[in-house]
Every structure is written in structure tokens, then in C-alpha cells.
Amino acid sequence: MFTLNFSIELKNIYHSILNLPLIVILIRFKGTKSRGWSKFPIKNNSSRSRTRITHIGTDSWKNPIASLELFVKLDIPESTLTFIGKRNEELDIMLQGEYEFIKNSVEFKSSLKRSDFLKILSESVYCLVPSNYKVGVLSPTVLDAYSQGTPVLASGVSADIFNCGETGYCLNSNCISKASTKEKWNVLSENAFAIAQKYSVENSVSQIF
């Protein structure tokens, strides 16, 4: 496997040399076959048919506890909070205590094939990204969500790929209220998918080469 790694610090150099945005943090090739998103088109383009609210990663810096609170605030009927990652002691304590009333609506998925991972995103009305980043980053999590037309509720994400009210919402109370009613959901979904295509591996490589 041939791997190219681009750090945030290389952003200005990348702009000046290639006249392109920093399109990926990690691009992987296996032989001549890329990781690209085009093989996984949107499965559901309606918020009504999506029943999951998904959080990717259960490490503490991914702030999964915040997603428990967000899930309660969103209060979207018949929805399931799906964590992509392993259960951990911190989450178990919260689900046996303060958030016990939602434990039957919370599930954990780990060791997924990429196709299964993207399928979960395609079934998600939102992807929650309440990460503890101090500086905005170009998040692969957000781009994966966008690839399935899934808007995000996020903090600490670079403005290069996330604009509150365009591809998702910020985590303030006013925005969460809009998200809970799925206000502008179809527009958010279309905008998110368009961003994913702009930043896809295939499009990036075609522009470079």
C-alpha cells in the first residue's frame, strides 16, 4: 500500500505549489484501486428514511459523552444513536447512570468493513462531531459523512469544509433546535455531498496529475 500523508502545516505550501485546497489528510492507494467515495453513492436522500444519528470514534478526544447529550436534545422520534467504535468504561457508566433512559436507543459498531461503515452513514440523518479540537481541522470523519450526503453537527472543524447552516449546524442551542426539526435538511445534504465530490480522491488525483 502506498500512502501519502499531508499535515495541516503543509496547507499553504500545498496551495502555492499545486493551486489546490488541502484535499485530504490521508490518501491511500492499494495497487491502482483508490479509496474513493464514488463507489458508494447516496443510498437515502430523504431525512425521513434515515433513522440513525452517528458518532464516529469513542476515544475521549472524540468527546462521545457530548453526543449522548446531543442525542437527547435533538429528540428525533424513533432514532438510534450509533457509535462507530468500541464500548468503553466511561460510556458504560453514563449509560448505566445519567443516560440510562436512552440506553435502549444506543448501539455500538466496531471492526466494520468500509462499505458497511459508509452504509451506516448513508442511513444517518446527522453525523455528530463534537471533538475537542482547539484549532479547526480538515476532518476525514466529516468528509466521510458528506460522501453519503449526511450533514454534520460539529465543533472544531475547519471552515474549508464546514460552514454552519450550509453543510450542517454548530453546537449552540439555536442550531440544535433547527437540526431537531430537520430544517433545510435536503439543502444541507446536497451541499455536503457536493463538498465530498470536490474533495474526493479521484477528483484530487485527476487535478494533480
Side-chain angles (χ1 to χ4, degrees):
M1 178 179 290
F2 174 59
T3 302
L4 297 174
N5 290 288
F6 294 93
S7 69
I8 299 301
E9 288 76 14
L10 289 176
K11 183 175 180 179
N12 291 333
I13 297 175
Y14 193 63
H15 270 298
S16 61
I17 295 176
L18 298 177
N19 194 29
L20 293 169
L22 178 58
I23 46 181
V24 283
I25 293 178
L26 177 65
I27 301 178
R28 292 181 178 175
F29 294 91
K30 189 175 184 180
T32 59
K33 183 179 179 182
S34 78
R35 178 193 183 197
W37 294 311
S38 59
K39 296 177 182 176
F40 302 98
I42 298 175
K43 306 297 182 183
N44 296 313
N45 59 5
S46 169
S47 64
R48 294 181 181 178
S49 60
R50 297 183 180 223
T51 57
R52 298 181 189 273
I53 296 172
T54 298
H55 176 110
I56 301 171
T58 53
D59 293 325
S60 58
W61 59 273
K62 288 280 191 176
N63 206 6
I65 301 302
S67 283
L68 292 175
E69 182 180 356
L70 279 169
F71 181 71
V72 172
K73 288 181 177 180
L74 286 168
D75 193 25
I76 296 175
E78 301 180 5
S79 60
T80 299
L81 176 58
T82 301
F83 283 102
I84 306 298
K86 296 180 179 180
R87 297 182 72 105
N88 59 43
E89 183 178 0
E90 184 181 25
L91 282 166
D92 277 340
I93 289 172
M94 298 301 288
L95 289 170
Q96 292 168 13
E98 183 179 351
Y99 292 98
E100 184 177 12
F101 67 101
I102 62 167
K103 68 178 182 180
N104 292 332
S105 297
V106 177
E107 64 179 3
F108 293 83
K109 303 282 186 180
S110 60
S111 302
L112 294 171
K113 295 180 181 178
R114 180 156 178 81
S115 58
D116 293 333
F117 165 66
L118 292 177
K119 184 175 186 295
I120 287 175
L121 287 175
S122 77
E123 297 168 345
S124 302
V125 62
Y126 294 112
C127 181
L128 308 181
V129 191
S131 303
N132 290 323
Y133 295 123
K134 301 301 182 184
V135 178
V137 298
L138 282 160
S139 168
T141 295
V142 170
L143 291 175
D144 278 334
Y146 286 176
S147 77
Q148 300 304 301
T150 304
V152 300
L153 304 185
S155 62
V157 176
S158 172
D160 286 347
I161 59 171
F162 173 71
N163 287 300
C164 184
E166 294 184 13
T167 55
Y169 291 112
C170 305
L171 300 183
N172 60 56
S173 57
N174 183 49
C175 285
I176 292 171
S177 177
K178 291 179 180 178
S180 67
T181 61
K182 302 179 185 178
E183 182 177 319
K184 292 174 54 181
W185 190 91
N186 287 338
V187 174
L188 299 177
S189 177
E190 290 174 4
N191 290 343
F193 187 67
I195 292 289
Q197 296 311 295
K198 176 183 175 182
Y199 286 83
S200 69
V201 170
E202 291 89 349
N203 187 50
S204 305
V205 172
S206 68
Q207 291 185 64
I208 294 172
F209 298 104

